[in-house]
Structure formats: structure tokens, C-alpha cells
Amino acid sequence: MFPKFLRSTLPSMKESPGVVDLLGVLAYAELSAYARMTEDAATLAPSLADRAALSELAVTEYAHFRLLRDRLAELGADPDAAMTPFVGALDAWHAQTRPTDWLQALVKTYVGDGIALDFYREAARLLDPSIAKLVDEVLVDEGRSQFAVERVRAAIEAHPAEAGRLALWARRLVGEALSQGQQVASARPELALLLMESQQEGHTDISRLFAKLTEAHNKRMAAMGI
Amino acid sequence: MFPKFLRSTLPSMKESPGVVDLLGVLAYAELSAYARMTEDAATLAPSLADRAALSELAVTEYAHFRLLRDRLAELGADPDAAMTPFVGALDAWHAQTRPTDWLQALVKTYVGDGIALDFYREAARLLDPSIAKLVDEVLVDEGRSQFAVERVRAAIEAHPAEAGRLALWARRLVGEALSQGQQVASARPELALLLMESQQEGHTDISRLFAKLTEAHNKRMAAMGI
């Protein structure tokens, strides 16, 4: 911990208060994803091997949470205080997108992970080098949710009627995420400003960032064959 | 995988079929403890820091599950098949001992971990050296649930009336464990035989092992001040 007047002189401390918000929202996103994926694995997996495979991803999310929390502490921020403003929106997203079967759980894992990775990439573009390193560590695990893609593709090939149902589900996942994101953006203007700056094109319209996220989402949908 | 006739010549393969049972029951105990502790952390922790502290223990249980599963695979056993006979008893234990508040969750973590560690120690006494190494790796984490002891002691010091309630809770936890254990022992005689052999005193009464577990449990209760 550093006295407040010293913090702004720390070489790794970015001036914008939006940085702590960004690390805080990502930290709680990882902590809550870990808990939800663990529960989905325990209650929806068709076999113990599948349960272990999804639990493995959940534990990886927890490891990312640990990196983010430690980074917040190194920056002199209180991790709990940094996460608290985002608990409501992320818990609401999970409550509104509770999967009812294994395929929905896999699609949610891949979609949720994907949106988080998009945010990490934004973060890497604009934050200091030590945070870029953290982002690199997280992105190393990017391929891990590939197993979800393969399972969903195989299920759709075997039962083509599943495609429509899962497409609707994915649309709901991203729709609820954008809706929660809009509320977060208006409640945390500094975070919104930080993410808009990262677009580096002079646009200050949050809908531009959302359009970008939606485009990335559509690519992921195509990868799953839905 | 090795042909069946070769398995008994593997240097690390213990003859008794109870060994696969013992690794199987421990593996599912770890996998289910991980899921339940994660849920308790998400739903009962009074702060995000407490939630992270219990989640940290949960993730450690998952790491133990991984060691056990990999060891089963190395022995030529199918991990899922080895765990399956114990899913019912362990799920029933968790269903009958669902904590309703944070202190109950902490007591359950410490009691459950303690019983598991007693079984690991029995396993270390009788299994081949490579399994003894696995047990050593697990026992390294023994001190981790100490945080639960400290929180419970502090809570009882602040509110002495909690002691009686938590003592009843702990008795229920161990009572349900012994009751599920008795059913497992009669359904899996080879496992029961293996554990009784480990007493190395010629007694073939499962109640002797249970008495030993109860004694260890009482010591843990004293450590928590209940």
C-alpha cells in the first residue's frame, strides 16, 4: 500500500480512474464466471469427464481472477471496492441467462469467454505494459474453450434442429450482456470513456464499441455452426 | 492402457482392487467438495474477500481431483468408472449437509477436509510409493483450511452462544459421513477390507476405523473451540 499522494507517481499507475474500474469489472466477471461454470458443470454435464472438462475451464477463470485481484492490490486499489460496483450487473446477467441444459451451458461458456477476451484485448491496447503482460497471460488460455465449440458443432451436426434453438439462446446471451453493459456504462462514465478512447478513432459513441463486440460475437457463432 | 494379464506386473499397480476404489472415492470427494465449496462461497460469504478465500480452497480441491484422476489413468483404470460407485453417497452427504450460513460453511469445509485428509493418510500407509507421493502433494495443502478455524474461533469468541449451534452442526456433519461411509463399506467390501488392513492390528471391524475417524474429528472440533 502507498499513501494516496504517492500513488500517482507509481510508474505502473495509469492516471485514468477508469483503469481500476476496468480491472474491477474483469475481476468480478472472472470470479462470477468461475462460480457459475462450476455449478453448470456439476448440475448439467452428461458425464463425469464432461463435468471435469468444464470445471477445468472454471478453475482457469479463477486463476485469471487471482491475477486481476493481485494487480489491483499492486496498484494500491482495494480489490473488493473495485469489484463491488459491477456485482449487480454481472449477477443479473447470470440470473437472466441460467442454462437449462448442457449445450446451453457450453454456448454460454464460449460466448461469455469471448466477450471477456474482447474486453481484455481493449484493455491491452490502452493500459500500461505491466497490465499488457497480465492480458497476455490471460490470452494464453484463449484456446481452452475450443472444446465447447467442438461439442456444440458435433451436437448440431447430429441434430440439425438444435441450431435454431441454440442461435436464439446465443442471441439472448449477447442481448442481455449489451443491456447490462449499457447500464454499467451510464453508471460508470469513466470506464465508458476509457473504452471509447481505446477505439482511437475519435468516436465517443458507446454503441460503436457494442457494434464491434457484436461483430466478434457473430464470428464466434459461425465457428460453432449456429 | 495395458492388457489385463499384464496389469498385475506393472510396478506401480497394487494387487488389491480396493486401490482403484480408494482413489475413485477420493477423486469424487474432491470433485464434489470443489463444486459445493464454490457454491457456498458464492452464496454465503459475507464479503468478496471471504468469497475469494473459500474459493481458493475450492480450487485447491480441484487440483487434488486432477492428481487423483491422472493417477487412476496411469494405473490403467477408467477414472469415471472408478468414481461412479461413490457419486450417490457423496452427493447424498452434501445434500443432507447444505450449510445455511457462512459459519456452517466454514465448519463444513474444515470437517470435510479433515475427514478427507484422514483417508489420504490411511492411503499413504498402504499404497505403493508413487501414490504416497501423491498423498504428500495433497498434504502440503493441509494448512490451507486453517483460515476457517481462525474465523470460527473468532466468531465464537465474539458470540459464545454460537458454540452450541455449531457443535450440533459438526456432529451432524460427521454423523452423516459415518452413515454414508457404512453404506459404501457394505457396497464395496474390497475398499472396506483395504482400509481395515491398514489398521495393521488384525481387527476386521469397520467400526474401529470409524472410531479412529471420530477421534480425529473431536480434535478438530477442539481446535475450532466447539
Side-chain angles (χ1 to χ4, degrees):
Chain A
M1 281 300 191
F2 300 87
K4 206 166 187 178
F5 70 91
L6 267 181
R7 280 190 211 158
S8 61
T9 67
L10 283 177
S12 56
M13 186 69 180
K14 173 99 181 175
E15 298 300 304
S16 165
V19 171
V20 168
D21 271 2
L22 182 58
L23 294 175
V25 70
L26 285 171
Y28 191 71
E30 296 285 13
L31 186 63
S32 58
Y34 145 73
R36 295 307 177 136
M37 284 160 65
T38 297
E39 189 186 337
D40 292 346
T43 56
L44 300 174
S47 72
L48 288 171
D50 285 319
R51 178 168 167 178
L54 187 54
S55 300
E56 197 69 45
L57 290 183
V59 167
T60 303
E61 309 283 1
Y62 186 79
H64 296 166
F65 158 73
R66 215 190 264 135
L67 290 173
L68 290 156
R69 180 196 55 192
D70 294 350
R71 190 75 196 106
L72 278 162
E74 282 164 22
L75 289 174
D78 172 6
D80 282 26
M83 288 188 279
T84 299
F86 309 105
V87 169
L90 282 156
D91 283 358
W93 185 66
H94 282 295
Q96 283 152 14
T97 59
R98 190 177 277 273
T100 55
D101 61 37
W102 178 237
L103 287 175
Q104 284 191 344
L106 291 177
V107 170
K108 182 174 173 179
T109 292
Y110 184 60
V111 167
D113 251 26
I115 295 173
L117 290 172
D118 290 340
F119 272 92
Y120 276 111
R121 279 190 209 94
E122 292 301 316
R125 266 222 289 263
L126 57 110
L127 301 180
D128 67 54
S130 67
I131 291 179
K133 189 172 157 280
L134 178 153
V135 173
D136 285 343
E137 287 185 72
V138 168
L139 291 177
V140 160
D141 297 317
E142 191 171 5
R144 284 185 169 245
S145 58
Q146 200 55 34
F147 103 96
V149 177
E150 283 152 23
R151 300 295 175 92
V152 173
R153 282 192 80 98
I156 289 173
E157 273 165 35
H159 305 281
E162 289 285 35
R165 181 179 77 92
L166 293 174
L168 277 178
W169 170 244
R171 208 168 300 156
R172 191 167 132 211
L173 290 171
V174 78
E176 295 286 356
L178 293 179
S179 148
Q180 294 299 332
Q182 222 131 19
Q183 285 175 45
V184 167
S186 59
R188 310 296 294 185
E190 283 154 346
L191 175 60
L193 206 63
L194 180 77
L195 288 169
M196 287 183 298
E197 280 167 10
S198 78
Q199 304 298 304
Q200 296 172 328
E201 289 164 28
H203 294 271
T204 52
D205 186 355
I206 192 78
S207 66
R208 196 173 169 80
L209 170 65
F210 286 178
K212 204 172 156 188
L213 291 177
T214 306
E215 195 192 319
H217 172 74
N218 290 339
K219 278 188 194 153
R220 285 190 289 270
M221 292 305 95
M224 284 191 287
I226 58 186
Chain B
M1 282 297 190
F2 299 86
K4 206 167 187 177
F5 71 92
L6 266 182
R7 280 190 210 160
S8 60
T9 67
L10 283 178
S12 57
M13 186 69 179
K14 173 96 183 176
E15 298 298 305
S16 165
V19 171
V20 167
D21 271 1
L22 182 58
L23 294 175
V25 70
L26 285 170
Y28 191 71
E30 297 285 13
L31 186 63
S32 58
Y34 145 73
R36 295 306 178 136
M37 285 160 65
T38 297
E39 189 187 338
D40 293 345
T43 57
L44 301 174
S47 73
L48 289 170
D50 285 318
R51 177 167 167 177
L54 187 55
S55 300
E56 198 68 45
L57 290 183
V59 168
T60 303
E61 309 284 2
Y62 186 80
H64 297 165
F65 158 73
R66 215 190 262 135
L67 289 173
L68 290 155
R69 180 197 55 194
D70 294 350
R71 190 74 197 106
L72 277 162
E74 282 164 24
L75 289 174
D78 172 7
D80 282 25
M83 289 189 279
T84 298
F86 308 105
V87 169
L90 281 156
D91 282 358
W93 185 67
H94 282 295
Q96 283 152 14
T97 60
R98 191 177 275 273
T100 55
D101 61 37
W102 178 237
L103 288 175
Q104 285 191 344
L106 291 178
V107 171
K108 182 174 173 179
T109 292
Y110 185 58
V111 167
D113 251 25
I115 296 173
L117 290 173
D118 290 340
F119 271 93
Y120 276 111
R121 280 191 208 93
E122 293 300 316
R125 267 223 288 265
L126 56 109
L127 300 181
D128 67 53
S130 67
I131 290 177
K133 188 171 159 281
L134 177 153
V135 173
D136 285 344
E137 288 187 74
V138 168
L139 291 178
V140 161
D141 297 317
E142 191 171 5
R144 283 182 171 247
S145 58
Q146 198 57 31
F147 104 95
V149 177
E150 284 152 22
R151 300 294 176 93
V152 172
R153 281 192 81 97
I156 290 173
E157 273 164 33
H159 307 280
E162 290 285 35
R165 182 178 76 90
L166 293 174
L168 278 177
W169 170 244
R171 209 168 300 156
R172 190 167 133 211
L173 290 170
V174 76
E176 296 285 357
L178 294 179
S179 148
Q180 294 299 333
Q182 223 132 19
Q183 286 175 44
V184 167
S186 59
R188 310 297 294 185
E190 283 153 348
L191 175 60
L193 205 63
L194 180 76
L195 288 169
M196 288 184 295
E197 279 167 11
S198 77
Q199 304 297 304
Q200 295 173 329
E201 290 164 29
H203 294 270
T204 52
D205 187 354
I206 193 79
S207 66
R208 196 173 169 79
L209 170 66
F210 285 0
K212 204 172 158 189
L213 292 177
T214 306
E215 195 192 320
H217 173 73
N218 290 339
K219 278 186 193 155
R220 286 190 288 269
M221 292 306 96
M224 282 191 288
I226 59 183

